[in-house]
Amino acid sequence: MDETLVPAGLEAWVGGPGGLIADFSAAFAGIDGILLLVALVVVLVILLIVYRSPILPFAVLLSAVFGLSAASLVVYQLAKNDVITLSGQSQGILFILVVGAATDYALLLVSRFREALHDEPSSWVALKRAWRGAVEPVGASAATVILGLLCLLLADLQSTSGLGPVGALGIAGALLASLTFLPAVLLLFGRKVFWPFAPKIDHRHAEDVVGTTQGIWGRVANLVGTHPRRVWALTLVGLLAAAAFVPSFKADGASIDETFLTDVDSITAQKVIEEHFAAGAAQPLQVVVPEADGAAALAVVEADRGIESAYLGLVPPQPGQPSVPRRSSTAPSSCRRRRRTPPTAQGPSTRSSGSAAPSTT
């Protein structure tokens, strides 16, 4: 196209359904890797701020990556053997879900381990105590999320129903890594994993600051305990202020051209078509109804104010010529219509009564 049309002084773009699919494929190429990288970087920054240690955040992230690898291995085998349905949507959500869940489970285990190190000189004894204290809440949390995800199996869409087992396997992988690999790493480093703020045997615990003014969380706990009504009233005001923006939320969907951040051939081609032809002329809506209901369907379509033109037949009638006759007396009538407004990403819904075949846009 660039070698023949452009040198001739013509402008050419690849449009239509094929061009749109190609542009979508190019836009989403490599997005899974970007999502995973962004998630890991965000979690790393948060863990560095929380723990103030250059070692512990990497141990937690490494545990999350191992959990993701284990889950991906099982998901791949099940999808390869057609046991579950795997889509790009499920794959992207799996990455974020496992990293978030593994980090959440690790926070509880690490917190219990650090608390135990204030009382126990042995890292083994401290880790054993922390693991026993974390396994029940972590297991209960994972079981709750897994059961909730498996409820997606009841969905009608395959992309949604397939997300259920994929997400459940991801949570199982995060749980497995958090209760096996992470404890091994913590035991390997011992107190040094918290460097440079390694806990000492001083029998001091986080709950000791509750009701005092020591530390930021001690002051927060003291404020909540001293002025509970004032705190919940101010919190309610803040939540109501945030909820005041709910009416501004619009769920009308976005047009296809709004889904791209850059200019692409398919959108440019669509705009050129819209400038010279009626909206929807490139992709008219075809409604298939029984032959006996053809005239009634045509009347209904023509009564729609959003329809520019409608006809019965296989191809639009040419000036001075009747519409192309149907192939057989028993073939269904084809009622085609062109919309006045460009299609959106959601698309309109078309319903047909009787034994009509599904409509295509």
Side-chain angles (χ1 to χ4, degrees), residues 84-173:
I84 61 176
T85 301
L86 180 63
S87 63
Q89 173 187 351
S90 301
Q91 185 174 344
I93 294 176
L94 174 66
F95 291 166
I96 306 301
L97 188 64
V98 174
V99 172
T103 304
D104 187 26
Y105 303 153
L107 288 175
L108 180 58
L109 179 62
V110 170
S111 177
R112 294 289 178 90
F113 182 52
R114 182 168 56 181
E115 288 288 312
L117 286 175
H118 283 284
D119 297 326
E120 302 291 345
S122 172
S123 298
W124 170 261
V125 176
L127 181 61
K128 184 178 180 180
R129 173 180 162 186
W131 193 90
R132 287 180 175 178
V135 63
E136 290 186 2
V138 168
S141 175
T144 302
V145 178
I146 289 174
L147 291 176
L149 287 170
L150 291 179
C151 291
L152 294 176
L153 290 171
L154 301 176
D156 295 330
L157 294 176
Q158 286 190 351
S159 59
T160 303
S161 61
L163 176 60
V166 171
L169 290 171
I171 296 297

Side-chain angles (χ1 to χ4, degrees), residues 237-291:
V237 171
L239 292 176
L240 291 177
F245 294 94
V246 171
S248 64
F249 175 73
K250 299 185 182 301
D252 298 333
S255 59
I256 295 179
D257 58 339
E258 294 176 343
T259 60
F260 293 95
L261 300 179
T262 59
D263 294 333
V264 294
D265 273 17
S266 59
I267 300 302
T268 304
Q270 182 63 34
K271 291 181 179 179
V272 173
I273 293 176
E274 292 175 0
E275 292 176 358
H276 298 83
F277 301 93
Q283 293 178 309
L285 180 64
Q286 185 176 20
V287 181
V288 182
V289 299
E291 181 180 9

Side-chain angles (χ1 to χ4, degrees), residues 287 296-305 307 309-311 335-337:
V287 181
L298 179 62
V300 173
V301 172
E302 290 179 336
D304 192 326
R305 298 180 58 184
I307 305 303
S309 62
Y311 58 88
C335 173
R336 300 171 64 87
R337 71 177 188 176

